[in-house]
């Protein structure tokens, strides 16, 4: 949240305001149910939920009521939500003891199309990033990536919702 960033040692840390507002609203609802006693919590989300879950984990870690420890953050198709100072604050400060993994794939059009903007803003991911196969349950290794083949820009929005062989997007009943 804005307060978390203002209080950070990295005074110049910046994060996306829309994700901050979403996380603040979610934390207001979660906090009364999570506080009290020692609880290790896993935060996860896809796309907007991915950015929101990381910032919500920051709220949990910074809560004055205590008792909640974000033990893991796993995101799928999530955005870069902050700049290098923000990522450093997450990695080496507020969530230094939290396993943070961002799962992405090169066929995700949202990540592909927003990448240049995030790069121009100096945004980078916290934690570690794993490349996956969208159509099967497989994490890619460096040997799996063919850097010599032609690269066609992804355009199918369905590919933003396909991770590890599972469709994670909206469904019609």
């Amino acid at each position: 949240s804005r307060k978390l960033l203002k209080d950070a040692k990295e005074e110049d840390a910046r994060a996306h305001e829309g994700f901050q507002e979403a996380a603040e609203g979610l934390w207001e609802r979660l906090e009364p149910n999570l506080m009290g006693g020692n609880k290790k919590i896993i935060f996860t989300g896809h796309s907007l939920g991915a950015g929101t879950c990381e910032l919500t984990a920051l709220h949990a870690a910074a809560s004055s009521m205590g008792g909640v420890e974000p033990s893991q953050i796993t995101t799928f198709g999530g955005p870069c939500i902050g700049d290098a100072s923000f990522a450093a604050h997450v990695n080496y400060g507020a969530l230094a003891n939290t396993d943070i993994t961002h799962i992405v794939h090169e066929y995700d059009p949202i990540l592909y199309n927003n990448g240049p903007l995030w790069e121009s803003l100096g945004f980078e991911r916290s934690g570690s990033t794993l490349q996956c196969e969208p159509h099967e349950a497989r994490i890619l290794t460096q040997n799996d990536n063919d850097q010599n083949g032609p690269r066609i820009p992804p355009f199918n929005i369905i590919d933003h919702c396909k991770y590890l062989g599972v469709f994670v997007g909206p469904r019609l009943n």
Side-chain angles (χ1 to χ4, degrees):
S1 76
R2 287 176 284 278
K3 181 178 185 314
L4 291 174
L5 296 180
K6 190 187 328 173
D7 295 344
K9 290 181 180 159
E10 294 82 10
E11 301 267 334
D12 59 343
R14 294 180 304 143
H16 189 284
E17 186 175 2
F19 288 103
Q20 291 181 60
E21 288 174 4
E24 287 170 1
L26 181 57
W27 181 243
E28 285 177 14
R29 291 176 163 237
L30 287 176
E31 184 178 25
N33 298 303
L34 295 178
M35 302 328 279
N38 293 330
K39 295 179 178 130
K40 291 189 176 194
I41 304 217
I42 297 171
F43 291 84
T44 190
H46 168 258
S47 197
L48 168 64
T52 303
C53 84
E54 184 172 344
L55 288 163
T56 303
L58 279 171
H59 280 285
S63 176
S64 60
M65 296 175 76
V68 174
E69 177 186 339
S71 62
Q72 182 180 341
I73 298 171
T74 303
T75 71
F76 299 87
C80 291
I81 57 171
D83 63 8
S85 294
F86 175 79
H89 171 64
V90 170
N91 290 335
Y92 307 111
L95 297 173
N97 296 320
T98 304
D99 177 25
I100 302 171
T101 305
H102 303 284
I103 300 174
V104 300
H105 63 73
E106 66 179 8
Y107 301 103
D108 188 324
I110 304 301
L111 302 183
Y112 180 86
N113 288 316
N114 285 299
L117 171 63
W118 296 331
E119 191 173 310
S120 73
L121 293 170
F123 277 29
E124 50 182 71
R125 292 185 194 285
S126 60
S128 61
T129 301
L130 295 177
Q131 291 282 333
C132 79
E133 171 60 43
H135 304 292
E136 62 183 76
R138 187 165 65 96
I139 298 295
L140 303 179
T141 67
Q142 287 188 350
N143 296 336
D144 291 321
N145 295 328
D146 178 12
Q147 301 299 329
N148 300 323
R151 180 72 167 99
I152 299 169
F155 67 92
N156 187 345
I157 193 65
I158 297 299
D159 288 331
H160 176 61
C161 299
K162 195 81 165 167
Y163 273 80
L164 298 167
V166 176
F167 182 76
V168 295
R171 291 173 171 75
L172 297 175
N173 290 341

